Amino acid sequence: MIEFKNVYKKYENNNNTAINDLNLQIKDGDFFVLVGPSGSGKTTTLKMINRLIKQTSGEITIDGKNIDDFNLQEMRLQMGYVLQNIALFPNMTIEDNITIQPESLKWSKEKRHQVAWDLLEKVGLDPDKYAKRLPNELSGGEQQRVGIVRALASNPKIVLMDEPFSALDPISRNQLQELVLKLHAEMNMTFVFVTHDMNEAVRLGNTIAIMRLGHLEQIGTRDEIVHNPKNNFVNGFFKNQQNDDKKLKLIIDSQDCQQVDRQQADLSEEDNVSDLAGLLKIQDFVLVKSSDERVWKLTTQSLLNYLARDGE
């Protein structure tokens, strides 16, 4: 179990209190999500677990032992860490990227090879095709799968994930959310996941901690958070993000789009307006399939028309 006891983090150069009297417990095997707006302290909290950031006061323990009493290198080798920017080594093959920590732990070459092959298969990347490639030969979603695999390769007890999917398009993000849920169910590890997206938090987290300005506003299961928000901030934070999740059916029904003669589509009418907005950042139009199997072409103008009408 990971436990924070009366933890503070203050930065002397700007007199800013990033974490203010934080008390929480993360149980073994949990999928624990830290969520909140920018500046809430969620990433600072995550980085204090592996001592990338040192608390000003208070105590952080893992299985009852103060993290300051661990050998830093040994402790980090026993933790997985997944970043938003992936940070694969560009001149190393995918297999070599995956096995960095096992090599530091002096695993045999044969064992490292087997672990890389097994994990690539788990995340849907054929090792015969991908193991010897370089990172720049993979898509962003494929690179992030490798980043996840690298964090799991040493069979760590704790895996830290710092907004790992926020830079991805909606389709890749949804696929990887499903993937980490699958991996968590299969592997006896504690996942600590940071996000600013309440919907992602509710989808992934067994336990959710909502933060604001360094304070812990509420902690509980997804049902407790959704149905029994502790205060106006929690209630408003969740509802404001829910407003972004109106279904694309609303745009189709309003005829702010054009029917096209296609079979394949990027999204369905039950996907969210926020997913459409994400895809329109990287492509000129999005194809959406309605429940009657017709396909519609939605553009940025379709989205703007909907938002203007909805704002009224």
Side-chain angles (χ1 to χ4, degrees):
M1 181 171 70
I2 305 167
E3 187 168 8
F4 286 68
K5 302 175 184 176
N6 306 115
V7 171
Y8 288 80
K9 176 59 185 177
K10 298 181 180 181
Y11 292 101
E12 294 181 2
N13 59 342
N14 58 9
N15 199 31
N16 175 43
T17 301
I19 300 295
N20 195 336
D21 196 19
L22 180 62
N23 293 274
L24 61 81
Q25 295 180 345
I26 302 173
K27 296 179 181 178
D28 290 347
D30 198 2
F31 199 127
F32 189 97
V33 177
L34 291 157
V35 62
S38 298
S40 62
K42 54 191 185 296
T43 293
T44 299
T45 300
L46 182 87
K47 289 183 175 180
M48 287 195 290
I49 295 174
N50 65 356
R51 285 167 55 188
L52 282 173
I53 293 177
K54 170 68 175 170
Q55 75 270 26
T56 306
S57 62
E59 185 180 39
I60 303 170
T61 61
I62 298 176
D63 295 333
K65 182 178 178 178
N66 193 306
I67 62 170
D68 294 332
D69 295 334
F70 286 92
N71 176 281
L72 181 59
Q73 182 179 10
E74 291 179 1
M75 183 184 76
R76 288 180 179 168
L77 284 173
Q78 297 301 321
M79 293 184 184
Y81 193 23
V82 186
L83 299 165
Q84 176 182 333
N85 63 2
I86 310 170
L88 299 179
F89 292 98
N91 297 322
M92 295 173 62
T93 67
I94 297 306
E95 180 179 359
D96 288 340
N97 266 283
I98 291 169
T99 56
I100 287 173
Q101 280 191 272
E103 185 174 10
S104 298
L105 292 167
K106 303 191 183 307
W107 290 14
S108 70
K109 185 176 181 179
E110 293 77 14
K111 184 178 180 181
R112 297 197 308 266
H113 174 82
Q114 189 61 53
V115 164
W117 247 243
D118 290 346
L119 285 172
L120 283 170
E121 288 181 345
K122 274 185 180 294
V123 299
L125 299 176
D126 182 351
D128 290 323
K129 292 174 57 179
Y130 286 91
K132 300 306 179 184
R133 291 185 181 180
L134 294 174
N136 65 5
E137 299 177 76
L138 277 60
S139 69
E142 289 170 340
Q143 289 186 41
Q144 196 60 291
R145 287 173 187 258
V146 175
I148 294 168
V149 162
R150 183 175 60 181
L152 304 178
S154 63
N155 195 30
K157 185 175 180 181
I158 298 168
V159 180
L160 308 176
M161 296 186 170
D162 189 7
E163 302 213 48
F165 310 144
S166 61
L168 299 175
D169 64 87
I171 294 174
S172 296
R173 186 171 69 242
N174 289 338
Q175 290 173 344
L176 288 175
Q177 287 171 350
E178 289 297 324
L179 175 63
V180 296
L181 286 172
K182 174 176 174 286
L183 292 171
H184 180 258
E186 292 176 356
M187 310 176 91
N188 186 28
M189 298 176 183
T190 303
F191 282 24
V192 185
F193 190 103
V194 164
T195 181
H196 64 273
D197 185 337
M198 190 64 173
N199 300 297
E200 184 169 63
V202 170
R203 184 178 188 188
L204 297 178
N206 295 329
T207 307
I208 300 170
I210 301 177
M211 300 187 69
R212 177 178 62 155
L213 298 175
H215 292 272
L216 181 63
E217 294 289 333
Q218 185 171 356
I219 185 169
T221 66
R222 66 189 73 176
D223 286 343
E224 290 169 343
I225 297 293
V226 171
H227 299 299
N228 296 293
K230 184 177 179 180
N231 55 36
N232 289 335
F233 171 77
V234 175
N235 186 50
F237 184 58
F238 181 71
K239 285 190 173 179
N240 286 342
Q241 294 206 1
Q242 287 290 71
N243 288 336
D244 292 333
D245 285 341
K246 294 178 180 178
K247 303 304 180 186
L248 294 178
K249 187 176 188 302
L250 292 170
I251 301 181
I252 292 173
D253 288 349
S254 69
Q255 298 181 342
D256 281 325
C257 53
Q258 173 189 356
Q259 186 180 348
V260 294
D261 185 19
R262 304 280 183 89
Q263 292 297 318
Q264 298 297 319
D266 302 303
L267 299 170
S268 80
E269 67 176 23
E270 290 304 311
D271 285 312
N272 301 326
V273 171
S274 55
D275 291 336
L276 171 67
L279 279 181
L280 286 173
K281 291 179 181 179
I282 58 176
Q283 58 194 61
D284 294 332
F285 62 87
V286 175
L287 298 179
V288 179
K289 183 170 286 189
S290 56
S291 58
D292 58 9
E293 297 299 311
R294 289 186 293 174
V295 176
W296 302 86
K297 179 180 177 181
L298 276 66
T299 64
T300 299
Q301 191 59 50
S302 308
L303 177 62
L304 292 175
N305 289 346
Y306 162 75
L307 292 174
R309 188 177 56 257
D310 191 55
E312 295 171 357

